Amino acid sequence: MSETFRTLTDHPLSDIVSKVTSNERLTREDAIRLYNSPDLEVVGALANYRREQKAGIEKAQWVYYNHNMHLNPTNYCVETCRFCSYANPGLTGNSSYTWTVDRVLEEAGKGVRLGVKEIHMVGGLNPACDINYYEEVMRSLKREYPHVHLKAMTAVEIEYMSNLAGITYQECLERLIDAGLGSMPGGGAEIFAEEVRERMAVKKTPAPVWLEVHGTAHELGIHTNATMLTGIGESVENKVDHLLLLREQQDKSGGFQCFIPLKCYYDGTTIADEVKEPTSEDLLKDVAVSRLVLDNFDHIKAYWIQLGEKLAQVAFSFGADDMDGTVMEEKITHAAGAKTPLQLAKERIEFLISSAGFTPVERDTVYNVLNVGQHPKNAPNNTAALKELVGSR
Ligand code: SF4
């Protein structure tokens, strides 16, 4: 056992500690034990150890972020997933909308003028937004803003558009790449477990299709991300099996960059009374266990919009090395010009990273380093923040 964990020889997780420190792949059983362990601090320390080992000495304290914006051209969707309030206007009282190509350009311009380097674009499954629409959107965006990377289209949208047009996933992706698609986000994976998907009325993109679309994208030379949605009635075993399917796909196709654990929010849905909302401890375990199980993923993201600032900061000590971007919410793209706090948000993100004791590193979408910030002189101890969030034990 490594010197770092020498006091843990009698710990119930000591065999897993040995595996982690000797860089051995963890099994399904190991992952379930990590999730079920009451010792959050040891699970976090193991994940942090693996993060540092993967990053190497020079980058061990780096936490990445990027300067991006979200565009959501339509919230109309033919599906009715029960956990989705975004595309269920009947439940939220919002009306559905579909932007013209000009409107997409106008909204993109607000962020681009403030310096964003990536547009993250996803939307509902809308027959009016078929492959022809998105080809035009992407060509227009690249014509106007050639320097901006387009990270767009979940596997769910690729499946829908391909079926609508009667073409293969490969053909669909080739056409979009030709139009300017630079990479794909990781959304739409939800939880791969069929029994959960059935309860949540998820009819779209079962695991084999989601994985096939990403594998095809990797073969075509673009990077993608992967997600897992929790708080929709899943078990620990469901989560572990989800991670293992991602790891297996990464072994085959190798193009995933980052894994992002997500949590469901319930406003506008009808599921709150029948599911368990993840606690802060659960969310930190998702970060830590994913870092340990996904040994072939370079990055794990603490998605600050979902975790909140404090928990995201703690997650940097639980294996996360990315905080996502400056602008994450569709509503931000509706804010006008200088009122949109893009530059302030960038400074805020850098502050949050450095005040948690890490070095803020601005990256582009595919993790080229754009700017390495200062490492804080007095790195704080995250234990106090952790105790405040999950309670002392
Ligand atoms: S397919 Fe996506 S956008 Fe449509 S209802 Fe389901 S989660 Fe929402």
Side-chain angles (χ1 to χ4, degrees):
M1 186 174 297
S2 142
E3 186 61 15
T4 318
F5 298 106
R6 95 190 123 69
T7 56
L8 298 178
T9 35
D10 295 328
H11 194 278
L13 296 177
S14 62
D15 56 324
I16 298 180
V17 172
S18 294
K19 280 188 175 183
V20 171
T21 54
S22 55
N23 212 15
E24 259 181 70
R25 180 161 270 195
L26 299 188
T27 64
R28 181 175 191 269
E29 179 61 25
D30 295 334
I32 291 169
R33 282 173 59 207
L34 286 165
Y35 261 122
N36 290 335
S37 168
D39 200 336
L40 182 61
E41 287 183 43
V42 165
V43 176
L46 283 173
N48 189 52
Y49 176 87
R50 182 151 276 182
R51 179 182 74 79
E52 290 184 353
Q53 294 292 309
K54 278 187 83 69
I57 292 170
E58 191 202 341
K59 300 177 182 174
Q61 299 305 310
W62 284 17
V63 172
Y64 298 89
Y65 73 93
N66 75 338
H67 199 179
N68 70 344
M69 70 184 297
H70 273 203
L71 280 184
N72 307 108
T74 181
N75 70 343
Y76 178 86
C77 188
V78 296
E79 291 290 347
T80 50
C81 307
R82 292 185 60 218
F83 49 73
C84 178
S85 48
Y86 168 71
N88 281 324
L91 289 172
T92 58
N94 300 323
S95 55
S96 60
Y97 67 87
T98 302
W99 290 347
T100 60
V101 175
D102 284 346
R103 176 72 189 276
V104 178
L105 284 178
E106 186 188 323
E107 295 296 332
K110 292 175 187 172
V112 174
R113 280 191 291 280
L114 291 169
V116 304
K117 299 178 180 77
E118 170 195 293
I119 291 174
H120 170 119
M121 181 170 64
V122 295
L125 308 180
N126 183 344
C129 300
D130 59 7
I131 184 153
N132 299 314
Y133 168 86
Y134 276 114
E135 280 181 310
E136 197 185 340
V137 162
M138 289 186 191
R139 286 219 159 81
S140 305
L141 284 169
K142 289 305 274 188
R143 190 170 51 240
E144 288 294 315
Y145 315 116
H147 62 290
V148 175
H149 181 104
L150 298 184
K151 182 179 79 182
M153 304 287 105
T154 63
V156 178
E157 291 171 276
I158 297 296
E159 179 196 30
Y160 178 71
M161 279 192 293
S162 302
N163 291 342
L164 205 60
I167 58 178
T168 62
Y169 308 142
Q170 176 166 338
E171 205 179 324
C172 181
L173 282 164
E174 281 171 345
R175 283 174 60 175
L176 293 173
I177 290 168
D178 193 52
L181 179 70
S183 64
M184 281 170 64
E190 324 306 3
I191 273 278
F192 290 143
E194 270 309 318
E195 67 268 25
V196 181
R197 298 169 78 88
E198 224 164 87
R199 284 199 300 275
M200 291 294 118
V202 181
K203 295 189 266 320
K204 66 189 183 185
T205 328
V209 175
W210 193 96
L211 295 165
E212 183 187 344
V213 169
H214 280 261
T216 305
H218 299 167
E219 276 165 26
L220 293 173
I222 63 170
H223 289 292
T224 72
N225 291 336
T227 59
M228 174 175 77
L229 181 67
T230 62
I232 57 172
E234 72 290 341
S235 65
V236 160
E237 287 76 11
N238 294 151
K239 292 198 281 191
V240 169
D241 290 339
H242 186 102
L243 295 176
L244 293 176
L245 280 171
L246 291 175
R247 187 171 79 179
E248 193 181 309
Q249 181 62 46
Q250 180 76 326
D251 279 343
K252 288 186 211 153
S253 56
F256 289 118
Q257 300 190 109
C258 183
F259 172 73
I260 309 137
L262 302 172
K263 127 187 211 316
C264 187
Y265 281 83
Y266 304 119
D267 283 359
T269 77
T270 57
I271 65 169
D273 291 342
E274 61 189 271
V275 296
K276 176 184 168 287
E277 183 172 6
T279 61
S280 296
E281 183 164 345
D282 294 332
L283 298 174
L284 287 174
K285 283 262 183 80
D286 290 335
V287 170
V289 178
S290 63
R291 176 60 290 162
L292 290 162
V293 171
L294 297 176
D295 50 23
N296 51 6
F297 276 59
D298 284 344
H299 306 285
I300 305 291
K301 194 175 284 184
Y303 187 29
W304 67 275
I305 284 286
Q306 290 225 326
L307 294 180
E309 293 181 351
K310 268 190 179 179
L311 197 56
Q313 286 181 299
V314 175
F316 303 150
S317 299
F318 277 71
D321 69 340
D322 194 296
M323 197 171 174
D324 208 284
T326 48
V327 184
M328 303 308 304
E329 292 296 276
E330 185 271 335
K331 68 180 189 296
I332 294 173
T333 69
H334 288 291
K339 286 186 199 149
T340 308
L342 287 175
Q343 296 298 334
L344 284 178
K346 181 176 167 176
E347 289 160 9
R348 178 78 183 157
I349 282 181
E350 289 185 351
F351 167 77
L352 291 169
I353 294 170
S354 58
S355 62
F358 293 83
T359 311
V361 176
E362 185 180 356
R363 61 164 173 85
D364 67 9
T365 307
V366 292
Y367 286 87
N368 292 308
V369 173
L370 303 179
N371 182 36
V372 181
Q374 289 294 315
H375 187 73
K377 285 199 175 65
N378 300 311
N381 181 345
N382 267 327
T383 308
L386 173 64
K387 289 212 162 109
E388 191 189 320
L389 282 162
V390 300
S392 54
R393 40 186 80 246

